[in-house]
Amino acid sequence: MIATNPPTPRIGFIGAGNLATSLIGGLIQAGWSPDSLCAADPADTTRRQLTERYGLLVSPENQDIVHQADVVVLAVKPQVMQPVARALAEAIRPTQTVVSVAAGIEGPALSRWLASTLGTPGIIRAMPNTPALLGAGATGLVAVNAVSEMGRSTTESIFAAVGTVEWLEREADLNAVIAVAGSAPAYFFAFIEALTRGGTNLGLPQTMAERLAIQTALGAARMASETDVPVQTLRERVTSPGGTTAEALKALQAGDLDALVRKAMQAAVDRAGAMA
Ligand code: NAD
């Protein structure tokens, strides 16, 4: 018997703004053919750019793209998610997979909006963060209902093209992903700002302090991600007993950095719950 490879699934993006264009760029860079991708967006310039840049099939009509795709990524703003999903329900087949990237819109609502007389498609919620825009994202994924193997693996490929991917067992854990990753680039920005202000306070020019703080954040993140050495060991290695780093960390601990970060994350989780 001759083994045949399954056909490459086609991915359709509904809304081709910042996130979708980053995902499309990531997929093409990862070796996906532009023929396997298509996108709908009401903005003429957005569609023209995608055609000129990648030769992508585009349409101003969301339904056109849904008919072409095996996996449909809803990449519109949360405010328009409900009308967009409801308008597509009758066009979506139960064999398709729909991926929502909107924070705060929960599975039961998506299932209701996407249900039709034919049934409900497989639904996945994805929670990427903004570094995905430059290929360094961290995304949490959760299947809201029964999703085909094709749907799962294609969705994983989409987000793996712009960073790392974690599958969750429970939808409720997406709020924890928001606290640890979705909102967290801003925590690191705040820390860089604090380091910069501290450096300025100690007499460095502001721009120099900022450059040093940014490069140090980048260096620390690369050290943590590019070796198998646990982060705790990395911290201990740069903390000589009685040295400058030890004194600085002691001061951070005296201010209970851990408790402060936990409190900030709980605030993010509470807000995500309230927005749902
Ligand atoms: P964006 O505004 O850049 O893109 C949204 C696109 O949707 C626009 O191109 C717009 O023309 C299009 N659009 C508007 N109405 C439409 C409709 N009825 N049908 C089809 N397309 C329509 O926004 P974005 O930053 O790409 O975010 C998209 C979604 O991704 C949001 O739900 C956001 O919360 C989520 N998200 C974004 C990021 C990020 O880093 N940008 C990270 C995590 C989650």
Side-chain angles (χ1 to χ4, degrees), residues 14-20 40-43 46 62 75-78 80 84 101-103 128-130 133:
I14 304 299
N18 292 314
L19 182 65
D41 200 287
T46 303
N62 294 344
V76 293
K77 292 284 189 200
V80 294
V84 165
V101 295
N129 61 6
T130 44
L133 300 181

Side-chain angles (χ1 to χ4, degrees), residues 124-143:
I124 291 176
R125 285 186 64 196
M127 183 51 55
N129 61 6
T130 44
L133 300 181
L134 40 91
T139 300
L141 294 177
V142 69

Side-chain angles (χ1 to χ4, degrees), residues 177-271:
V177 172
I178 292 175
V180 182
S183 299
Y187 317 161
F188 287 101
F189 296 145
F191 200 77
I192 289 172
E193 287 179 271
L195 273 182
T196 303
R197 280 192 293 271
T200 312
N201 210 33
L202 291 170
L204 294 179
Q206 197 265 349
T207 49
M208 183 195 288
E210 188 176 71
R211 274 198 308 274
L212 288 166
I214 291 170
Q215 180 60 20
T216 304
L218 185 66
R222 283 191 56 191
M223 282 180 80
S225 72
E226 290 175 17
T227 69
D228 290 333
V229 180
V231 175
Q232 181 184 335
T233 309
L234 290 173
R235 175 176 52 73
E236 286 163 359
R237 278 186 192 164
V238 293
T239 314
S240 322
T244 55
T245 311
E247 285 306 304
L249 288 177
K250 220 187 285 173
L252 282 177
Q253 276 151 13
D256 212 343
L257 179 66
D258 251 37
L260 186 59
V261 171
R262 250 197 326 271
K263 197 169 152 193
M265 291 170 72
Q266 189 58 49
V269 167
D270 292 347
R271 184 74 189 122

Side-chain angles (χ1 to χ4, degrees), residues 82-103:
Q82 178 170 2
V84 165
R86 280 189 187 280
L88 291 178
E90 289 303 326
I92 290 176
R93 299 179 305 278
T95 49
Q96 287 172 298
T97 298
V98 177
V99 183
S100 163
V101 295

Side-chain angles (χ1 to χ4, degrees), residues 38-76:
C38 50
D41 200 287
D44 294 345
T45 44
T46 303
R47 294 198 309 278
R48 200 170 43 249
Q49 277 164 7
L50 283 174
T51 318
E52 283 171 7
R53 190 145 179 218
Y54 301 119
L56 219 66
L57 173 74
V58 292
S59 172
E61 298 297 334
N62 294 344
Q63 297 214 356
D64 287 350
I65 292 309
V66 164
H67 287 136
Q68 302 284 336
D70 300 297
V71 173
V72 176
V73 182
L74 301 178
V76 293

